[in-house]
Amino acid sequence: MPHRHDLADPHRLQALSLSGLMDSLPEDSFDRITRIAAQVLSVPVSLLSLVDDKRQFFKSTRGLPEALAELRTTPLTHSFCQHVVMEGAPLAVEDSLYDELVKDNKAVSELGVRAYVGVPVFSATGEPLGSLCAIDMKPRIWDDNDIAILRDLADVVMTEINLRAEIMKRKENEVRLDLLSREMIHRTKNVFSLTSGIVALSAQDGASKDFAAKVSQRLQALSNAQEYVYTPASLDDRNLSGLISTLLSAYPADRIAVEPSLIPVGENAATAFGFAIHELATNAVKYGALSSPGGKIGISVAQEGDQIVVHWRESGGPKVNGEPTAYGFGNRMIGRSVKSYLEGAVQYDWHADGLLVEISASKARIAA
């Protein structure tokens, strides 16, 4: 049931402010409403009025005198709409000269308002923001149908206002997500940096220094992968090929070709591919295609059913003398990370002309 509202209520004023409509420019979406109201109810003036604790502002006007239409505001001394807001209910005035509520209102004496009917416009939280009203310069008897028409049009206004509020809320959430994502990237990079520093400080001899360098490089690869998938600017178009290209950006661009793809990529892929691509590239520099001046690497991504398959092809490097008798730590970790994070598998083909690696993974897991 309607109940009386205080024009200065802070919750109501906050809702009015959040609407973003006070003192805003005219807009066709609202002007259509006042135009329809004036036409359907056959009145010379129709207004969409927003009311704060000191004045009313006309978001949309139809039929006002030019000077007032340009000003688009009056003090509350000239406002019938304030009563609609305070009561949170329709107000119908048949002849203002004899209506106890408004007969002393200056809109009567100075603007010539004689008949008025208005219905409240509410925010999504139920706070009355203003009134959609129709005005006549001569006495008029309003019926239930007139009020019903205004109610229907006010519903359209409220839908528009609430939609805008939802859009604004989503934008604010996007800003918060952006800030949170940036902070997460910053913290993640700090963790990787701290871990690398601890590893470096723990190295005492040549062998352990070499081990420390390897660990630090692997951590940096993971850091780069995490930054790619969490960078806000790339959330909409981040893809598996982009991740792989990012991970290989430190290597000669003219010797590595990554075919573009639109396969979406998420956190799981960042972890698994961050490690796998780094290990494959490191081995290629030491033993494979990138250890020879003419060696090259080609990488392609394809979808096969619900599986994504990444092909790593080396060529132009030293002749491959078959499968190694034992796999190193890095190769073992590639298999484990792909299986654990991506529900996939890794296959090696130690072809004489160059190593071929096939990484298959669940499409759903790559995108997650």
Side-chain angles (χ1 to χ4, degrees), residues 228 237-245 258-265 299-303 308-310 366:
Y228 176 81
D237 59 359
R238 61 188 187 180
N239 56 72
L240 186 52
S241 294
L243 172 62
I244 294 173
S245 296
V258 182
E259 294 183 9
S261 76
L262 298 178
I263 296 170
V265 65
I299 303 162
S300 62
V301 180
Q303 181 174 340
I308 301 300
V309 181
V310 177
I366 284 181

PDB file of all heavy atoms in Angstrom, residues 228 237-245 258-265 299-303 308-310 366:
ATOM      1  N   TYR A 228      48.543 -13.168 -19.145  1.00  0.00           N
ATOM      2  CA  TYR A 228      47.775 -13.140 -20.394  1.00  0.00           C
ATOM      3  C   TYR A 228      46.297 -13.432 -20.148  1.00  0.00           C
ATOM      4  O   TYR A 228      45.424 -12.715 -20.641  1.00  0.00           O
ATOM      5  CB  TYR A 228      48.338 -14.151 -21.393  1.00  0.00           C
ATOM      6  CG  TYR A 228      47.527 -14.235 -22.670  1.00  0.00           C
ATOM      7  CD1 TYR A 228      47.700 -13.293 -23.670  1.00  0.00           C
ATOM      8  CD2 TYR A 228      46.584 -15.239 -22.864  1.00  0.00           C
ATOM      9  CE1 TYR A 228      46.953 -13.334 -24.834  1.00  0.00           C
ATOM     10  CE2 TYR A 228      45.828 -15.296 -24.027  1.00  0.00           C
ATOM     11  CZ  TYR A 228      46.019 -14.349 -25.000  1.00  0.00           C
ATOM     12  OH  TYR A 228      45.268 -14.400 -26.147  1.00  0.00           O
ATOM     13  N   ASP A 237      38.807 -11.458 -26.009  1.00  0.00           N
ATOM     14  CA  ASP A 237      39.351 -12.074 -27.207  1.00  0.00           C
ATOM     15  C   ASP A 237      40.569 -12.962 -26.936  1.00  0.00           C
ATOM     16  O   ASP A 237      41.286 -13.328 -27.853  1.00  0.00           O
ATOM     17  CB  ASP A 237      39.716 -10.994 -28.230  1.00  0.00           C
ATOM     18  CG  ASP A 237      40.737  -9.996 -27.685  1.00  0.00           C
ATOM     19  OD1 ASP A 237      41.138 -10.132 -26.513  1.00  0.00           O
ATOM     20  OD2 ASP A 237      41.112  -9.091 -28.433  1.00  0.00           O
ATOM     21  N   ARG A 238      40.818 -13.290 -25.689  1.00  0.00           N
ATOM     22  CA  ARG A 238      41.960 -14.149 -25.385  1.00  0.00           C
ATOM     23  C   ARG A 238      41.700 -15.535 -25.963  1.00  0.00           C
ATOM     24  O   ARG A 238      40.588 -16.048 -25.903  1.00  0.00           O
ATOM     25  CB  ARG A 238      42.188 -14.216 -23.875  1.00  0.00           C
ATOM     26  CG  ARG A 238      41.009 -14.788 -23.123  1.00  0.00           C
ATOM     27  CD  ARG A 238      41.162 -14.674 -21.633  1.00  0.00           C
ATOM     28  NE  ARG A 238      40.063 -15.385 -20.985  1.00  0.00           N
ATOM     29  CZ  ARG A 238      39.898 -15.473 -19.681  1.00  0.00           C
ATOM     30  NH1 ARG A 238      40.757 -14.895 -18.871  1.00  0.00           N
ATOM     31  NH2 ARG A 238      38.892 -16.138 -19.172  1.00  0.00           N
ATOM     32  N   ASN A 239      42.712 -16.130 -26.530  1.00  0.00           N
ATOM     33  CA  ASN A 239      42.553 -17.435 -27.164  1.00  0.00           C
ATOM     34  C   ASN A 239      43.831 -18.228 -27.020  1.00  0.00           C
ATOM     35  O   ASN A 239      44.881 -17.700 -26.603  1.00  0.00           O
ATOM     36  CB  ASN A 239      42.158 -17.281 -28.631  1.00  0.00           C
ATOM     37  CG  ASN A 239      43.155 -16.424 -29.390  1.00  0.00           C
ATOM     38  OD1 ASN A 239      44.269 -16.857 -29.666  1.00  0.00           O
ATOM     39  ND2 ASN A 239      42.764 -15.194 -29.719  1.00  0.00           N
ATOM     40  N   LEU A 240      43.758 -19.504 -27.364  1.00  0.00           N
ATOM     41  CA  LEU A 240      44.881 -20.411 -27.145  1.00  0.00           C
ATOM     42  C   LEU A 240      46.100 -20.013 -27.967  1.00  0.00           C
ATOM     43  O   LEU A 240      47.230 -20.045 -27.474  1.00  0.00           O
ATOM     44  CB  LEU A 240      44.453 -21.837 -27.471  1.00  0.00           C
ATOM     45  CG  LEU A 240      45.460 -22.948 -27.155  1.00  0.00           C
ATOM     46  CD1 LEU A 240      45.952 -22.851 -25.721  1.00  0.00           C
ATOM     47  CD2 LEU A 240      44.829 -24.308 -27.418  1.00  0.00           C
ATOM     48  N   SER A 241      45.884 -19.612 -29.212  1.00  0.00           N
ATOM     49  CA  SER A 241      47.013 -19.187 -30.042  1.00  0.00           C
ATOM     50  C   SER A 241      47.675 -17.941 -29.465  1.00  0.00           C
ATOM     51  O   SER A 241      48.910 -17.811 -29.490  1.00  0.00           O
ATOM     52  CB  SER A 241      46.549 -18.922 -31.475  1.00  0.00           C
ATOM     53  OG  SER A 241      46.115 -20.107 -32.094  1.00  0.00           O
ATOM     54  N   GLY A 242      46.850 -17.033 -28.937  1.00  0.00           N
ATOM     55  CA  GLY A 242      47.405 -15.828 -28.320  1.00  0.00           C
ATOM     56  C   GLY A 242      48.245 -16.153 -27.101  1.00  0.00           C
ATOM     57  O   GLY A 242      49.294 -15.555 -26.871  1.00  0.00           O
ATOM     58  N   LEU A 243      47.773 -17.120 -26.306  1.00  0.00           N
ATOM     59  CA  LEU A 243      48.549 -17.543 -25.138  1.00  0.00           C
ATOM     60  C   LEU A 243      49.886 -18.125 -25.556  1.00  0.00           C
ATOM     61  O   LEU A 243      50.934 -17.781 -24.996  1.00  0.00           O
ATOM     62  CB  LEU A 243      47.745 -18.576 -24.340  1.00  0.00           C
ATOM     63  CG  LEU A 243      48.491 -19.265 -23.196  1.00  0.00           C
ATOM     64  CD1 LEU A 243      48.929 -18.258 -22.139  1.00  0.00           C
ATOM     65  CD2 LEU A 243      47.628 -20.356 -22.576  1.00  0.00           C
ATOM     66  N   ILE A 244      49.861 -19.007 -26.555  1.00  0.00           N
ATOM     67  CA  ILE A 244      51.105 -19.636 -27.018  1.00  0.00           C
ATOM     68  C   ILE A 244      52.059 -18.587 -27.577  1.00  0.00           C
ATOM     69  O   ILE A 244      53.268 -18.620 -27.304  1.00  0.00           O
ATOM     70  CB  ILE A 244      50.790 -20.729 -28.066  1.00  0.00           C
ATOM     71  CG1 ILE A 244      50.009 -21.871 -27.408  1.00  0.00           C
ATOM     72  CG2 ILE A 244      52.072 -21.261 -28.693  1.00  0.00           C
ATOM     73  CD1 ILE A 244      49.495 -22.909 -28.388  1.00  0.00           C
ATOM     74  N   SER A 245      51.536 -17.642 -28.339  1.00  0.00           N
ATOM     75  CA  SER A 245      52.381 -16.578 -28.896  1.00  0.00           C
ATOM     76  C   SER A 245      53.017 -15.748 -27.791  1.00  0.00           C
ATOM     77  O   SER A 245      54.184 -15.349 -27.876  1.00  0.00           O
ATOM     78  CB  SER A 245      51.549 -15.679 -29.822  1.00  0.00           C
ATOM     79  OG  SER A 245      51.081 -16.404 -30.940  1.00  0.00           O
ATOM     80  N   VAL A 258      52.956 -19.352 -35.280  1.00  0.00           N
ATOM     81  CA  VAL A 258      51.789 -19.846 -34.543  1.00  0.00           C
ATOM     82  C   VAL A 258      50.543 -19.519 -35.352  1.00  0.00           C
ATOM     83  O   VAL A 258      50.218 -18.351 -35.569  1.00  0.00           O
ATOM     84  CB  VAL A 258      51.685 -19.208 -33.142  1.00  0.00           C
ATOM     85  CG1 VAL A 258      50.496 -19.779 -32.391  1.00  0.00           C
ATOM     86  CG2 VAL A 258      52.972 -19.422 -32.357  1.00  0.00           C
ATOM     87  N   GLU A 259      49.857 -20.557 -35.819  1.00  0.00           N
ATOM     88  CA  GLU A 259      48.642 -20.323 -36.590  1.00  0.00           C
ATOM     89  C   GLU A 259      47.548 -19.757 -35.681  1.00  0.00           C
ATOM     90  O   GLU A 259      47.348 -20.249 -34.566  1.00  0.00           O
ATOM     91  CB  GLU A 259      48.159 -21.632 -37.231  1.00  0.00           C
ATOM     92  CG  GLU A 259      49.099 -22.182 -38.292  1.00  0.00           C
ATOM     93  CD  GLU A 259      48.532 -23.430 -38.945  1.00  0.00           C
ATOM     94  OE1 GLU A 259      47.346 -23.759 -38.698  1.00  0.00           O
ATOM     95  OE2 GLU A 259      49.278 -24.082 -39.701  1.00  0.00           O
ATOM     96  N   PRO A 260      46.848 -18.717 -36.148  1.00  0.00           N
ATOM     97  CA  PRO A 260      45.799 -18.108 -35.307  1.00  0.00           C
ATOM     98  C   PRO A 260      44.610 -19.040 -35.109  1.00  0.00           C
ATOM     99  O   PRO A 260      44.307 -19.883 -35.943  1.00  0.00           O
ATOM    100  CB  PRO A 260      45.398 -16.862 -36.104  1.00  0.00           C
ATOM    101  CG  PRO A 260      45.761 -17.183 -37.514  1.00  0.00           C
ATOM    102  CD  PRO A 260      46.981 -18.050 -37.451  1.00  0.00           C
ATOM    103  N   SER A 261      43.947 -18.891 -33.989  1.00  0.00           N
ATOM    104  CA  SER A 261      42.735 -19.648 -33.696  1.00  0.00           C
ATOM    105  C   SER A 261      41.844 -18.804 -32.799  1.00  0.00           C
ATOM    106  O   SER A 261      42.290 -17.833 -32.199  1.00  0.00           O
ATOM    107  CB  SER A 261      43.068 -20.967 -33.000  1.00  0.00           C
ATOM    108  OG  SER A 261      43.392 -20.730 -31.640  1.00  0.00           O
ATOM    109  N   LEU A 262      40.573 -19.179 -32.692  1.00  0.00           N
ATOM    110  CA  LEU A 262      39.621 -18.464 -31.844  1.00  0.00           C
ATOM    111  C   LEU A 262      39.191 -19.308 -30.652  1.00  0.00           C
ATOM    112  O   LEU A 262      38.174 -19.046 -30.030  1.00  0.00           O
ATOM    113  CB  LEU A 262      38.398 -18.047 -32.667  1.00  0.00           C
ATOM    114  CG  LEU A 262      38.670 -17.082 -33.818  1.00  0.00           C
ATOM    115  CD1 LEU A 262      37.382 -16.797 -34.578  1.00  0.00           C
ATOM    116  CD2 LEU A 262      39.291 -15.787 -33.318  1.00  0.00           C
ATOM    117  N   ILE A 263      39.971 -20.325 -30.350  1.00  0.00           N
ATOM    118  CA  ILE A 263      39.626 -21.214 -29.241  1.00  0.00           C
ATOM    119  C   ILE A 263      39.860 -20.488 -27.914  1.00  0.00           C
ATOM    120  O   ILE A 263      40.978 -20.076 -27.621  1.00  0.00           O
ATOM    121  CB  ILE A 263      40.456 -22.504 -29.311  1.00  0.00           C
ATOM    122  CG1 ILE A 263      40.097 -23.270 -30.590  1.00  0.00           C
ATOM    123  CG2 ILE A 263      40.234 -23.363 -28.077  1.00  0.00           C
ATOM    124  CD1 ILE A 263      40.997 -24.435 -30.893  1.00  0.00           C
ATOM    125  N   PRO A 264      38.812 -20.284 -27.120  1.00  0.00           N
ATOM    126  CA  PRO A 264      38.962 -19.540 -25.866  1.00  0.00           C
ATOM    127  C   PRO A 264      39.858 -20.264 -24.873  1.00  0.00           C
ATOM    128  O   PRO A 264      39.951 -21.488 -24.868  1.00  0.00           O
ATOM    129  CB  PRO A 264      37.524 -19.429 -25.344  1.00  0.00           C
ATOM    130  CG  PRO A 264      36.800 -20.561 -25.979  1.00  0.00           C
ATOM    131  CD  PRO A 264      37.429 -20.760 -27.321  1.00  0.00           C
ATOM    132  N   VAL A 265      40.497 -19.471 -24.038  1.00  0.00           N
ATOM    133  CA  VAL A 265      41.458 -20.038 -23.101  1.00  0.00           C
ATOM    134  C   VAL A 265      41.205 -19.468 -21.711  1.00  0.00           C
ATOM    135  O   VAL A 265      40.792 -18.321 -21.559  1.00  0.00           O
ATOM    136  CB  VAL A 265      42.907 -19.741 -23.569  1.00  0.00           C
ATOM    137  CG1 VAL A 265      43.182 -18.258 -23.530  1.00  0.00           C
ATOM    138  CG2 VAL A 265      43.932 -20.481 -22.733  1.00  0.00           C
ATOM    139  N   ILE A 299      53.463 -24.136 -35.076  1.00  0.00           N
ATOM    140  CA  ILE A 299      52.478 -24.569 -34.077  1.00  0.00           C
ATOM    141  C   ILE A 299      51.081 -24.316 -34.633  1.00  0.00           C
ATOM    142  O   ILE A 299      50.775 -23.219 -35.101  1.00  0.00           O
ATOM    143  CB  ILE A 299      52.655 -23.810 -32.749  1.00  0.00           C
ATOM    144  CG1 ILE A 299      54.076 -24.000 -32.231  1.00  0.00           C
ATOM    145  CG2 ILE A 299      51.645 -24.283 -31.710  1.00  0.00           C
ATOM    146  CD1 ILE A 299      54.480 -22.994 -31.199  1.00  0.00           C
ATOM    147  N   SER A 300      50.236 -25.313 -34.577  1.00  0.00           N
ATOM    148  CA  SER A 300      48.859 -25.174 -35.037  1.00  0.00           C
ATOM    149  C   SER A 300      47.912 -25.707 -33.974  1.00  0.00           C
ATOM    150  O   SER A 300      48.283 -26.546 -33.152  1.00  0.00           O
ATOM    151  CB  SER A 300      48.646 -25.930 -36.358  1.00  0.00           C
ATOM    152  OG  SER A 300      48.876 -27.316 -36.181  1.00  0.00           O
ATOM    153  N   VAL A 301      46.708 -25.213 -34.004  1.00  0.00           N
ATOM    154  CA  VAL A 301      45.681 -25.606 -33.045  1.00  0.00           C
ATOM    155  C   VAL A 301      44.441 -26.025 -33.829  1.00  0.00           C
ATOM    156  O   VAL A 301      44.005 -25.321 -34.748  1.00  0.00           O
ATOM    157  CB  VAL A 301      45.325 -24.439 -32.102  1.00  0.00           C
ATOM    158  CG1 VAL A 301      44.255 -24.866 -31.114  1.00  0.00           C
ATOM    159  CG2 VAL A 301      46.567 -23.952 -31.374  1.00  0.00           C
ATOM    160  N   ALA A 302      43.880 -27.153 -33.471  1.00  0.00           N
ATOM    161  CA  ALA A 302      42.693 -27.646 -34.169  1.00  0.00           C
ATOM    162  C   ALA A 302      41.711 -28.239 -33.177  1.00  0.00           C
ATOM    163  O   ALA A 302      42.100 -28.723 -32.106  1.00  0.00           O
ATOM    164  CB  ALA A 302      43.082 -28.698 -35.206  1.00  0.00           C
ATOM    165  N   GLN A 303      40.437 -28.181 -33.540  1.00  0.00           N
ATOM    166  CA  GLN A 303      39.407 -28.805 -32.717  1.00  0.00           C
ATOM    167  C   GLN A 303      38.970 -30.108 -33.369  1.00  0.00           C
ATOM    168  O   GLN A 303      38.633 -30.148 -34.545  1.00  0.00           O
ATOM    169  CB  GLN A 303      38.192 -27.878 -32.557  1.00  0.00           C
ATOM    170  CG  GLN A 303      37.091 -28.468 -31.688  1.00  0.00           C
ATOM    171  CD  GLN A 303      35.972 -27.496 -31.407  1.00  0.00           C
ATOM    172  OE1 GLN A 303      36.140 -26.283 -31.540  1.00  0.00           O
ATOM    173  NE2 GLN A 303      34.821 -28.011 -31.025  1.00  0.00           N
ATOM    174  N   ILE A 308      40.718 -30.455 -28.092  1.00  0.00           N
ATOM    175  CA  ILE A 308      41.574 -29.488 -28.764  1.00  0.00           C
ATOM    176  C   ILE A 308      42.956 -30.118 -28.897  1.00  0.00           C
ATOM    177  O   ILE A 308      43.494 -30.645 -27.921  1.00  0.00           O
ATOM    178  CB  ILE A 308      41.678 -28.167 -27.972  1.00  0.00           C
ATOM    179  CG1 ILE A 308      40.292 -27.556 -27.783  1.00  0.00           C
ATOM    180  CG2 ILE A 308      42.613 -27.195 -28.678  1.00  0.00           C
ATOM    181  CD1 ILE A 308      39.568 -27.227 -29.065  1.00  0.00           C
ATOM    182  N   VAL A 309      43.507 -30.051 -30.095  1.00  0.00           N
ATOM    183  CA  VAL A 309      44.811 -30.675 -30.352  1.00  0.00           C
ATOM    184  C   VAL A 309      45.786 -29.594 -30.803  1.00  0.00           C
ATOM    185  O   VAL A 309      45.524 -28.851 -31.755  1.00  0.00           O
ATOM    186  CB  VAL A 309      44.713 -31.775 -31.421  1.00  0.00           C
ATOM    187  CG1 VAL A 309      46.093 -32.412 -31.638  1.00  0.00           C
ATOM    188  CG2 VAL A 309      43.710 -32.837 -30.997  1.00  0.00           C
ATOM    189  N   VAL A 310      46.902 -29.506 -30.102  1.00  0.00           N
ATOM    190  CA  VAL A 310      47.979 -28.575 -30.450  1.00  0.00           C
ATOM    191  C   VAL A 310      49.127 -29.375 -31.040  1.00  0.00           C
ATOM    192  O   VAL A 310      49.613 -30.331 -30.432  1.00  0.00           O
ATOM    193  CB  VAL A 310      48.456 -27.790 -29.200  1.00  0.00           C
ATOM    194  CG1 VAL A 310      49.630 -26.886 -29.564  1.00  0.00           C
ATOM    195  CG2 VAL A 310      47.307 -26.987 -28.609  1.00  0.00           C
ATOM    196  N   ILE A 366      40.168 -26.404 -21.275  1.00  0.00           N
ATOM    197  CA  ILE A 366      41.015 -25.331 -21.777  1.00  0.00           C
ATOM    198  C   ILE A 366      40.339 -23.978 -21.570  1.00  0.00           C
ATOM    199  O   ILE A 366      40.984 -22.992 -21.241  1.00  0.00           O
ATOM    200  CB  ILE A 366      41.344 -25.561 -23.262  1.00  0.00           C
ATOM    201  CG1 ILE A 366      42.404 -26.649 -23.404  1.00  0.00           C
ATOM    202  CG2 ILE A 366      41.852 -24.262 -23.909  1.00  0.00           C
ATOM    203  CD1 ILE A 366      42.815 -26.939 -24.830  1.00  0.00           C
TER     204      ILE A 366
END
